[in-house]
Amino acid sequence: MSPNGSDRSPRRTMRRKLPQALALGLVIATATGCSANDLPRLGLPSPVTKEGPMVLHMWQGSWIAALVVGVLMWGLIIWSVIFHRRSRTGVQVPPQTRYNVPIEALYTAVPIIIVSVLFYFVARDESKLTAVSEKPQHTVNVVGFQWSWAFNYENTENPDPANQQAAYDVGTPGEPPTLYLPVNESVQFRLTSRDVIHDFWPINFMMKMDVVPGVVNKFEVTPTVKGEYMGKCAELCGVDHSRMLFNVKVVDRAEYEQHLKDLRAKGQTGAVPSGITTMGSEEK
């Protein structure tokens, strides 16, 4: 303790230890619950579409921004607690400040800047992810119903049951259907519902979209990695919502064509009803 009664020495010790404590806290915050393999993707699966890396980068960027803001706030809180505490021997009241215009302006401006920057990147990437081409290589009308899925291959949201070149597959809660897609070829999903709101989510595609009665929603992806993946409904839609599953199989073009041929051979030509009687939003 110094001759004037203050406790400078402990404060100096704490000042030296503060950077190490902050570094340790940062390591714990970023490493807890994550293995070395999971950390770079922060819980997301590996992207298997051309559009997937964009979603992954946006996810990682959001986490980095949140971590930077969090570390800054934790540091300010710890700093104020340590260096602005009352002296052990002092009885004086600390200086009282009614307001500080520059600080208050900073507190207002910084969140606006942060939100604006995040909004810009989200809006930019969302416009790319939801963009669809006029002539995709393949079109699949996805029909959601309680409680499974139907896939009308090479059909639109108002499919023609008489189209002998098209094919369909339909599942049940006990036997989920499998969606076949050709690798490295663009496919446009046109989403329709026959009853309530569902949500079409091929998990490894890192993309999902609501399936709304009377509305045609659509998005387009290009699978780039062959394999089998899982999909599910991401909107609470009724008693068997948890069983509203489907599989996705990304294969060579020849195997895709053979699958459609097998469906037609079983009599599954044309399409199952989609519930859309008019073009709906497509007319706008």
Side-chain angles (χ1 to χ4, degrees), residues 142-181:
V142 178
V143 184
F145 60 91
Q146 293 176 316
W147 286 275
S148 193
W149 303 91
F151 304 122
N152 293 324
Y153 292 96
E154 310 303 341
N155 250 309
T156 66
E157 72 283 347
N158 194 21
D160 180 11
N163 184 355
Q164 296 300 307
Q165 298 303 313
Y168 72 86
D169 195 9
V170 61
T172 65
E175 296 184 7
T178 298
L179 172 64
Y180 276 70
L181 298 174

Side-chain angles (χ1 to χ4, degrees), residues 101-156:
V101 174
I103 292 296
E104 292 177 2
L106 181 67
Y107 286 168
T108 303
V110 170
I112 292 176
I113 293 173
I114 293 174
V115 172
S116 299
V117 172
L118 291 175
F119 178 82
Y120 165 77
F121 285 107
V122 171
R124 183 198 65 180
D125 292 349
E126 183 182 11
S127 65
K128 295 179 181 178
L129 291 169
T130 56
V132 294
S133 57
E134 293 185 3
K135 294 183 179 180
Q137 292 176 277
H138 304 278
T139 302
V140 179
N141 166 225
V142 178
V143 184
F145 60 91
Q146 293 176 316
W147 286 275
S148 193
W149 303 91
F151 304 122
N152 293 324
Y153 292 96
E154 310 303 341
N155 250 309
T156 66

Side-chain angles (χ1 to χ4, degrees), residues 12 32 38 124 134 144 155 222 232 239 273 279 282 284:
R12 289 197 192 97
T32 300
D38 291 336
R124 183 198 65 180
E134 293 185 3
N155 250 309
T222 301
K232 62 176 65 177
V239 174
M279 294 299 282
E282 291 293 292
K284 301 178 181 179

Side-chain angles (χ1 to χ4, degrees), residues 20-100:
Q20 293 134 354
L22 291 176
L24 179 61
L26 179 60
V27 171
I28 294 174
T30 55
T32 300
C34 296
S35 67
N37 294 330
D38 291 336
L39 186 59
R41 290 183 281 107
L42 297 168
L44 283 187
S46 299
V48 297
T49 64
K50 185 176 70 175
E51 300 76 12
M54 185 184 303
V55 178
L56 180 60
H57 294 159
M58 184 165 56
W59 173 252
Q60 292 171 325
S62 299
W63 270 98
I64 292 172
L67 186 60
V68 169
V69 174
V71 169
L72 176 61
M73 297 309 299
W74 296 334
L76 289 174
I77 291 171
I78 295 172
W79 178 79
S80 62
V81 168
I82 294 175
F83 298 110
H84 289 277
R85 71 189 190 278
R86 192 178 69 176
S87 173
R88 294 175 183 173
T89 59
V91 295
Q92 71 278 10
V93 177
Q96 303 298 299
T97 302
R98 288 187 175 181
Y99 57 87
N100 187 311

